[in-house]
């Protein structure tokens, strides 16, 4: 029948294709893939367990040596002795002790002693460490010493330049004593030469990759933070399995990563099954394509041309021919009805709503407290009157950079990297007001740096930390930005007194907040429409912490 339903024309072909696909999925995926994944994961867990145990043994030996050599801080205290002879003697003795340890354990890349009361730190490095890498490790160690917190595990992984390093330390009253090991150095002490089709990743529990054998084009969306009591499936196409073992001495793990194609590389018989199913699909699809072209594609082409012509000239044309299906008769009727309505619609209201929202967003992002500008000008005036030219130059440079970021024309969305740079300018100005009283540290992975966010989100939170957290002593402010599964997380933590109970409840519920927080919440609502979250909390013994969770966007 000429005007019969499209369902009656295509149901037989559709059933044949679906039957072939279902048979393939049942035979191949259900009966083979799960078995191969289990076998590969057992092998990966066993190998990772062996290797992580050997890695732990190496790290335990070095940690044990360090503990034995520095059982108390009595000798370390001599580094800050008022007696010059005793102080120099202690320096030579400990420098020789670190040198002996570096020679005794080839895995040690750097041994160090940093004393808060002795101006010159002691560093001993192996011959394989080049000068540039020495500076990176030294900066990482000094950052840890300045941070002043003990680690929860014997070993940890710290960022050092563009890579990272394993670090263990002993904290005394006046000194930090520890050892750094490069990942390549540590792995070179393990016979890591298994020949198979899989790749291995050494990473922190947070998913930060320490070192890996994965090629750069291996795939996207691989989660390295899952539970390792068995195996789990990850990757954009859910075709990657991860299994492994967790270290007992530090917050890191060794994992085997393998794609389904790698696991199934040695199975040949499934190819014949696949070819048979493909042949069956080709036969079915051949008949379907003929019918598809005759009954759907040609009418759709006519419909597309008619819609395009109407969009350009507002002229209508008939899209039906004799024998067309009932659905296209209905489409033609709907098209004519739509054309009648389009001629009477007014789209100006919609455009005005969009413009209003854009203007509101720009308004929230361009509000600058007048007293902030006046304070900056007052600071510049005071520095000039006092003749502090170097500080004046630094303050003006930071203020100029901050103002350029503020008054840019395309500032509605900026990258996290640009936002952190603007925050650096703000911190630079505050350090002139509070010299040596603010310790600021920002950390963002490469994916997070490329993500785009509304301007001044991070800077507003850091400004709040300085405004409400600065007391008589020193204030530490830490910013961490990370991207996981398309979600950007921004955390701002300070060492101030924290939020009061009333303020904390008001901020989290949105009932009442300060000027900056209100603007920030309004910006999030306008831009993300309820898809972003804002959480404020107090950390016992540390201070205040604010966490933003945003849908990730990249330029």
């Amino acid at each position: 029948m000429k005007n019969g339903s499209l369902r009656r024309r295509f149901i037989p072909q559709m059933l044949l294709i679906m039957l072939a696909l279902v048979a393939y999925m049942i035979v191949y995926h259900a009966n083979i893939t799960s078995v191969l994944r289990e076998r590969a994961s057992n092998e990966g867990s066993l190998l990772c367990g062996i290797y992580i145990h050997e890695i732990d043994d190496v790290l335990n030996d070095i940690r044990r040596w360090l503990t034995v050599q520095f059982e108390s801080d009595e000798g370390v205290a001599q580094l800050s002795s008022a007696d010059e002879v005793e102080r120099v003697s202690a320096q030579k003795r400990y420098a020789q002790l670190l040198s002996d340890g570096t020679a005794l354990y080839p895995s040690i890349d750097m041994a160090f002693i940093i004393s808060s009361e002795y101006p010159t730190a002691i560093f001993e490095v192996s011959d394989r460490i080049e000068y540039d890498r020495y500076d990176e490790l030294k900066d990482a160690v000094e950052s840890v010493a300045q941070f002043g917190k003990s680690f929860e595990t014997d070993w940890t992984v710290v960022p050092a330049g563009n890579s990272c390093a394993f670090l263990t330390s002993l904290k005394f009253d006046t000194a930090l004593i520890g050892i750094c090991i490069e990942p390549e150095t540590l792995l070179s002490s393990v016979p890591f030469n298994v020949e198979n089709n899989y790749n291995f990743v050494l990473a922190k529990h947070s998913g930060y990759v320490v070192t890996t054998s994965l090629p750069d084009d291996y795939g996207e969306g691989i989660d390295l933070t899952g539970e390792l009591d068995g195996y789990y499936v990850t990757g954009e196409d859910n075709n990657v399995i991860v299994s492994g073992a967790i270290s007992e001495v530090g917050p890191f793990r060794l994992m085997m990563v393998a794609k389904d194609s790698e696991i199934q590389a040695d199975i040949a018989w499934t190819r014949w099954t696949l070819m048979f199913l493909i042949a069956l699909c080709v036969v079915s699809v051949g008949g379907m394509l003929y019918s598809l072209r005759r009954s759907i594609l040609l009418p759709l082409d006519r419909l597309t041309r008619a819609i395009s012509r109407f969009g350009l000239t507002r002229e209508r044309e008939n899209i039906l021919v004799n024998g067309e299906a009932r659905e296209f008769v209905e489409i033609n009727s709907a098209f004519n009805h739509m054309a009648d309505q389009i001629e009477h619609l007014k789209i100006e209201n919609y455009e005005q709503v969009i413009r209003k929202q854009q203007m509101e967003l720009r308004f929230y992002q361009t509000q600058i407290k007048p007293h902030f500008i006046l304070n900056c000008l007052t600071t510049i005036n005071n520095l000039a009157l006092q003749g502090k030219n170097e500080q004046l130059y630094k303050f003006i440079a930071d203020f100029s950079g901050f103002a350029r970021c503020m008054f840019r024309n395309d500032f509605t969305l900026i990258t996290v990297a640009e936002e952190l740079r603007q925050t650096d300018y703000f911190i630079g100005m505050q350090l002139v007001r509070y010299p040596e009283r603010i310790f600021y540290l920002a950390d963002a992975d490469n994916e997070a740096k490329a993500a785009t966010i509304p301007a001044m989100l991070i800077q507003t939170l850091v400004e709040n930390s300085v405004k409400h957290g600065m007391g008589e002593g020193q204030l530490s402010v830490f910013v961490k930005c990370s991207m996981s599964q398309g979600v950007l997380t921004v955390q701002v933590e300070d060492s101030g007194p924290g939020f009061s109970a009333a303020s904390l409840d008001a901020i989290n519920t949105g009932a009442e907040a300060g000027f900056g927080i209100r603007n920030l919440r309004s910006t999030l609502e306008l831009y993300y429409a309820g898809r972003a979250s804002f959480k404020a909390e107090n950390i016992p013994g540390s201070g205040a912490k604010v966490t933003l969770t945003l849908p990730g966007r990249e330029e």
Side-chain angles (χ1 to χ4, degrees), residues 166-339:
F166 291 90
L167 182 141
T168 186
S169 62
L170 298 177
K171 183 70 170 66
F172 294 96
D173 184 35
T174 61
L176 182 72
I177 303 171
I179 289 172
C180 283
I181 301 177
E182 294 275 58
E184 294 77 9
T185 305
L186 180 60
L187 292 182
S188 66
S189 63
V190 177
F192 203 74
N193 57 357
V194 178
E195 295 184 0
N196 53 37
N197 296 325
Y198 315 138
N199 295 280
F200 290 87
V201 178
L202 182 61
K204 298 178 66 175
H205 293 334
S206 62
Y208 178 81
V209 176
V210 178
T211 184
T212 179
S213 63
L214 289 175
D216 294 337
D217 58 349
Y218 195 77
E220 299 293 336
I222 298 178
D223 179 19
L224 299 176
T225 63
E227 297 293 335
L228 295 180
D229 49 354
Y231 76 89
Y232 62 93
V233 183
T234 183
E236 288 186 341
D237 300 322
N238 287 326
N239 64 340
V240 178
I241 70 166
V242 179
S243 62
I246 299 175
S247 171
E248 296 181 356
V249 302
F252 45 86
R253 49 172 62 181
L254 182 63
M255 292 165 286
M256 180 211 73
V257 179
K259 291 183 178 179
D260 285 339
S261 59
E262 298 168 341
I263 297 173
Q264 302 165 4
D266 297 330
I267 299 179
W269 68 268
T270 55
R271 299 177 184 175
W272 297 104
T273 303
L274 181 61
M275 291 178 63
F276 171 77
L277 294 176
I278 291 176
L280 182 61
C281 289
V282 168
V283 174
S284 301
V285 170
M288 181 178 178
L289 287 178
Y290 175 78
S291 182
L292 182 68
R293 180 179 182 278
R294 185 171 178 271
S295 302
I296 297 180
L297 295 181
L298 291 179
L300 285 178
D301 286 340
R302 291 193 296 271
L303 175 62
T304 302
R305 289 195 300 269
I307 293 176
S308 298
R309 183 177 179 83
F310 177 77
L312 293 175
T313 64
R314 291 293 187 270
E315 295 181 5
R316 306 184 196 179
E317 65 180 55
N318 186 29
I319 64 173
L320 295 180
V321 296
N322 292 333
E324 209 66 84
R326 183 175 65 247
E327 285 82 359
F328 281 102
V329 175
E330 296 174 356
I331 290 176
N332 183 66
S333 175
F335 172 72
N336 290 330
H337 179 68
M338 176 193 68

Side-chain angles (χ1 to χ4, degrees), residues 49-120:
I50 294 173
Y51 292 137
I52 201 69
H53 180 72
E54 294 186 9
I55 290 173
D56 285 352
D57 285 345
V58 173
L59 297 179
N60 272 327
D61 288 343
I62 296 175
R63 172 77 179 192
R64 192 179 300 111
W65 173 84
L66 184 68
T67 303
V68 171
Q69 300 303 318
F70 300 93
E71 293 181 339
S72 70
D73 61 348
E74 295 179 359
V76 178
Q78 295 177 358
L79 289 172
S80 58
S81 173
D83 188 339
E84 182 177 1
V85 175
E86 185 180 62
R87 188 171 62 251
V88 172
S89 175
Q91 182 185 16
K92 291 181 179 179
R93 182 170 68 257
Y94 281 116
Q96 183 60 46
L97 183 59
L98 296 183
S99 178
D100 293 342
T102 304
L104 178 61
Y105 294 94
S107 298
I108 296 178
D109 288 305
M110 172 183 282
F112 61 87
I113 298 178
I114 299 179
S115 174
S116 60
E117 298 184 9
Y118 184 72
T120 303

